[in-house]
Amino acid sequence: PNDLPSVEAALEAHLAGRAPTYEAEYRLLTAAGDWKWLLDRGRVVEREASGAPSKMSGTSIDIDARKRTEHELELSEYRYRTVAALSPGFIQELVPVGDRLVVRWVSEGFEQLFGAKLSDFRGSDDLLERYHPDDRIGLREFRHALLSGRRMEAELRFFNARNEMRWLHIVNQPFTDARTGQVTTVIGVCHDITDRKLAEQALRESEYRYRTVAQITPGFVQELKVTPDGQATITWVSEGFREVFG
């Protein structure tokens, strides 16, 4: 029923001479109770002296398999975009152009992290300028590895539109043509790990201060692990322990 208006409109347009041919895709209820997709194509081959159509010829083609494949593809793309939108960070698609990889698409999270849309950059090289200079040094080898079909991971620093440095953990997976073995696309999952990196840095600084205090404290500092039954075990002592006990 939902397809009938468009079928009737296409047929009427051709019969009235507003369209050179008649073409319509629609679903037909089979004897088994299933809906099957058909493609009708036809044209008027004879008309009355008045111009009214008197004979029409055409074909009906079973396109059910094609339509089901298209529907599955739409569902797959919808799921992919949904996962991309819900994923922390962003997802990127890269395609090889010569010996380079060009960013073709990024999910919405890209704009949230970089503070700019992909279209705001003049190209992939312009985007690379956002990454920390020290991290850009190894990107050439990283790119060559991806083009050879190897899965690669990296932790990179970049600067957003406010010139704030952020950390990304990137996992890139190349996909190859089954016939040629050539890489056709690379899918990358990029997570913002800035909070983790800052926490690790704070921990290192805290441990450094702790060790420093332990070293300059007269005598020595010790750490003990106490079990629920009250038993204590020494787990660490500062360097002063050796000076005291020899």
Side-chain angles (χ1 to χ4, degrees):
N2 293 339
D3 301 332
L4 186 59
S6 61
V7 173
E8 290 179 336
L11 180 60
E12 195 277 330
H14 175 59
L15 295 178
R18 296 193 303 273
T21 60
Y22 158 71
E23 183 172 322
E25 295 181 355
Y26 59 93
R27 287 159 288 187
L28 185 69
L29 187 62
T30 67
D34 301 321
W35 291 98
K36 177 168 288 191
W37 279 95
L38 295 176
L39 167 62
D40 280 2
R41 287 195 180 110
R43 59 178 300 181
V44 173
V45 293
E46 290 183 11
R47 292 183 179 272
E48 302 289 348
S50 63
S54 59
K55 187 177 181 180
M56 186 172 179
S57 178
T59 60
S60 292
I61 303 173
D62 183 350
I63 59 169
D64 195 65
R66 190 200 84 194
K67 296 295 285 189
R68 292 185 185 278
T69 300
E70 290 175 353
H71 179 64
E72 290 299 322
L73 179 59
E74 290 174 357
L75 284 177
S76 177
E77 291 181 346
Y78 170 76
R79 296 188 194 103
Y80 176 65
R81 304 296 179 184
T82 301
V83 170
L86 295 176
S87 298
F90 63 93
I91 294 176
Q92 62 182 3
E93 290 184 3
L94 303 96
V95 292
V97 177
D99 62 348
R100 300 171 60 244
L101 282 170
V102 176
V103 181
R104 179 169 61 182
W105 172 85
V106 292
S107 63
E108 296 176 3
F110 177 90
E111 185 176 353
Q112 297 174 3
L113 287 181
F114 279 83
K117 297 179 180 179
L118 182 61
S119 58
D120 294 332
F121 297 93
R122 294 187 299 273
S124 295
D125 290 339
D126 188 28
L127 176 58
L128 287 177
E129 291 297 319
R130 289 284 186 174
Y131 287 89
H132 195 284
D134 292 344
D135 296 338
R136 291 202 301 265
I137 296 174
L139 288 180
R140 181 183 298 273
E141 290 74 17
F142 190 83
R143 181 174 66 246
H144 288 166
L146 288 173
L147 289 172
S148 67
R150 290 170 51 197
R151 179 178 182 272
M152 297 294 292
E153 294 187 34
E155 292 183 351
L156 304 172
R157 291 161 290 180
F158 72 96
F159 296 90
N160 61 21
R162 296 182 295 275
N163 208 35
E164 300 168 336
M165 193 183 78
R166 309 287 296 178
W167 279 90
L168 279 181
H169 177 248
I170 301 176
V171 181
N172 282 323
Q173 176 63 56
F175 293 89
T176 58
D177 185 290
R179 295 175 301 159
T180 65
Q182 297 295 313
V183 172
T184 57
T185 186
V186 175
I187 302 296
V189 179
C190 308
H191 292 289
D192 183 355
I193 58 171
T194 305
D195 291 343
R196 192 198 83 194
K197 284 292 188 178
L198 291 177
E200 291 175 351
Q201 180 180 351
L203 178 60
R204 287 193 298 270
E205 292 175 352
S206 176
E207 290 179 343
Y208 172 75
R209 290 192 294 267
Y210 179 65
R211 304 293 181 184
T212 301
V213 169
Q215 289 174 4
I216 64 177
T217 298
F220 64 93
V221 177
Q222 63 182 1
E223 290 181 354
L224 298 93
K225 179 179 180 181
V226 181
T227 61
D229 60 1
Q231 297 296 318
T233 304
I234 298 176
T235 57
W236 176 82
V237 292
S238 65
E239 294 179 4
F241 180 88
R242 181 180 299 175
E243 297 177 5
V244 172
F245 286 93

